[in-house]
Amino acid sequence: MTATPSATRQHTVVDSPYGPLTLVATDGVLAGLYMAGQRHRPPEETFGAPDPRPFGPVVEQLDAYFAGGLRAFDLPMHLAGTPFQRSVWAELTRIPYGETRSYGELAALLGKPGASRAVGLANGKNPIGIIVPCHRVVGASGGLTGYGGGLDRKQRLLAFESGTEGDVPALF
């Protein structure tokens, strides 16, 4: 599912401890958060005009999260995807801060215990990284597996949330 031709799209770029983040809004509602070099990042020309105005609350909550003072985001979001993708992304938002789930656990929670690969594919296409915490999904053995923003960022985000970030070298 993509934005309708009449939808107004805007974007801005903000700094973060994990590199620049491109925020994209559709009709004033957050529709994308993309990291530099992210896999499945849409083409820049689809982001709309540069305009920081729709992103005040998003930036405030990201700043609070990165400062360690926010553990759950409360923002309106426009998550464009298939019904299955949206169900996976909704389940991601239920993974508590500092915890992880495996792809298989998410598939079981969705009532589709044999769909761990499909969950992984949907997870990888999450358009609003960090806020919809796809970094909290790990392999069945607990090991780090794919992450659209790169395994180094995933490792750092998980370490940040578990309070062990000082043990992971900063790359950005």
Side-chain angles (χ1 to χ4, degrees):
M1 179 185 288
T2 59
T4 61
S6 61
T8 302
R9 302 218 358 134
Q10 298 135 317
H11 79 279
T12 194
V13 178
V14 297
D15 290 327
S16 84
Y18 305 94
L21 303 175
T22 301
L23 307 176
V24 179
T26 299
D27 293 331
V29 178
L30 183 66
L33 184 156
Y34 303 104
M35 299 174 189
Q38 179 173 333
R39 191 173 10 148
H40 303 298
R41 180 184 169 109
E44 300 276 330
E45 59 269 15
T46 66
F47 293 163
D51 185 350
R53 288 178 294 174
F55 303 104
V58 177
V59 172
E60 289 172 17
Q61 289 192 33
L62 282 169
D63 286 347
Y65 169 80
F66 293 133
L70 181 73
R71 293 179 174 236
F73 292 91
D74 182 21
L75 295 164
M77 293 181 282
H78 174 78
L79 289 160
T82 68
F84 179 75
Q85 287 172 328
R86 289 193 311 270
S87 70
V88 170
W89 302 333
E91 201 60 49
L92 294 176
T93 65
R94 295 181 186 97
I95 303 172
Y97 180 96
E99 294 184 22
T100 60
R101 299 289 181 271
S102 72
Y103 297 99
E105 288 172 321
L106 286 177
L109 288 168
L110 292 166
K112 300 181 181 295
S116 60
R117 286 183 186 219
V119 166
L121 291 172
N123 195 51
K125 297 231 174 159
N126 170 19
I128 304 179
I130 300 173
I131 293 171
V132 176
C134 52
H135 61 277
R136 296 180 187 156
V137 183
V138 297
S141 66
L144 299 186
T145 59
Y147 183 60
L151 288 180
D152 52 336
R153 283 190 184 110
K154 181 174 187 166
Q155 180 182 24
R156 288 190 58 227
L157 283 162
L158 290 173
F160 167 70
E161 290 187 1
S162 69
T164 62
E165 188 176 28
D167 300 337
V168 180
L171 300 174
F172 303 96

